[in-house]
Amino acid sequence: MTPAKTAAGRPALRGRIDKRQAILDAAFAVFARRGYAQACVAEIAEEAGVAKPTVYNHLSDKENLFRHAMADAADRVMAENLAVVERLRDPGDDLRAALEDIGNRLLKTCCGQRASALRALTYAQLAAFPDLAEVVQGRTSGRLGDALADRFAQLALAGRLRTEHPARAAEQFLALLTGPMEARSRLGTRKVGAAETREVARAAVETFVRAYGVEGQGPTPAGL
């Protein structure tokens, strides 16, 4: 009897998880579109395709819904970034080219709709939710830095990067990417084209390789 009950319970559990995810997706979309103050639970419920009481059953109130929607969006951005960084497990013979590709992909994620909305909402709600920046940063740039540091440490052990401080190298690599992009995008208010994004990635990698590169890790531009 027990296995039958377990098997019978799985669809209900799966449905509950899917419904919660639909609510979180809808909530983030509505918060991004309306802002926290103007967003209402009724609109979120309609967008999620559920009854308004269902939203409260899953996430109790608007504030809790906002916090969970932001955390979920941050986790999704992070999952995209981690998938990009995984390429450094096997970068191939041309490490410079691999770093440029990774830098370009990270910038695309950073400038994507979800990440841009996440930043805008975080900045807009800092006064009302002073812990929000720490939560979002911990789930995005903090974890990304750790993942990059791990890959850079492995590359250093293999003699392909020159650093005794992989965490510092990761921090600086990300700063070389995001600093110029924040300036060019005017803090996310201007769309940066694909060619300009690649240019930022190339410049970031060129500077990074000057500091941490090892000879023989790919073509060297004139002047290096």
Side-chain angles (χ1 to χ4, degrees):
M1 294 297 292
T2 301
K5 287 182 181 178
T6 302
R10 281 176 187 156
L13 178 60
R14 180 71 261 170
R16 181 173 176 81
I17 293 172
D18 290 345
K19 191 171 291 184
R20 179 185 174 89
Q21 188 61 59
I23 292 169
L24 291 174
D25 290 344
F28 186 74
V30 173
F31 285 129
R33 186 165 64 240
R34 301 284 192 194
Y36 178 77
Q38 298 301 316
C40 67
V41 175
E43 183 178 1
I44 291 169
E46 182 179 357
E47 184 138 339
V50 301
K52 185 176 177 180
T54 303
V55 176
Y56 288 115
N57 287 340
H58 279 268
L59 290 146
S60 72
D61 57 36
K62 181 179 174 181
E63 178 179 332
N64 194 47
L65 177 58
F66 177 68
R67 289 183 179 278
H68 279 82
M70 292 291 282
D72 180 73
D75 286 342
R76 285 175 171 242
V77 169
M78 189 64 243
E80 293 178 45
N81 285 330
L82 289 178
V84 172
V85 172
E86 276 298 291
R87 192 194 159 183
L88 280 177
R89 286 188 182 275
D90 184 17
D93 294 333
D94 192 342
L95 181 57
R96 180 191 293 273
L99 288 170
E100 285 187 12
D101 179 62
I102 287 163
N104 187 50
R105 290 172 184 270
L106 289 175
L107 286 175
K108 285 182 178 179
T109 301
C110 176
C111 295
Q113 186 175 359
R114 182 181 286 117
S116 296
L118 186 65
R119 282 197 306 277
L121 280 168
T122 301
Y123 295 151
Q125 297 303 319
L126 279 179
F129 299 89
D131 62 321
L132 193 59
E134 185 177 351
V135 171
V136 171
Q137 187 176 39
R139 289 173 178 264
T140 53
S141 58
R143 289 179 61 198
L144 176 58
D146 290 342
L148 264 178
D150 182 66
R151 300 276 72 79
F152 286 168
Q154 294 299 318
L155 289 169
L157 286 173
R160 304 196 65 185
L161 282 182
R162 187 180 64 251
T163 178
E164 296 178 359
H165 304 285
R168 183 187 303 165
E171 181 181 49
Q172 292 177 351
F173 182 73
L174 292 174
L176 288 167
L177 291 169
T178 58
M181 186 56 74
E182 286 285 279
R184 290 178 185 234
S185 69
R186 297 170 191 155
L187 299 179
T189 61
R190 170 184 173 268
K191 184 174 177 58
V192 179
E196 193 173 358
T197 300
R198 287 193 297 271
E199 179 188 335
V200 171
R202 278 196 299 269
V205 172
E206 180 179 335
T207 302
F208 182 80
V209 169
R210 285 177 182 269
Y212 296 106
V214 174
E215 290 185 8
Q217 297 304 315
T220 302
L224 278 184

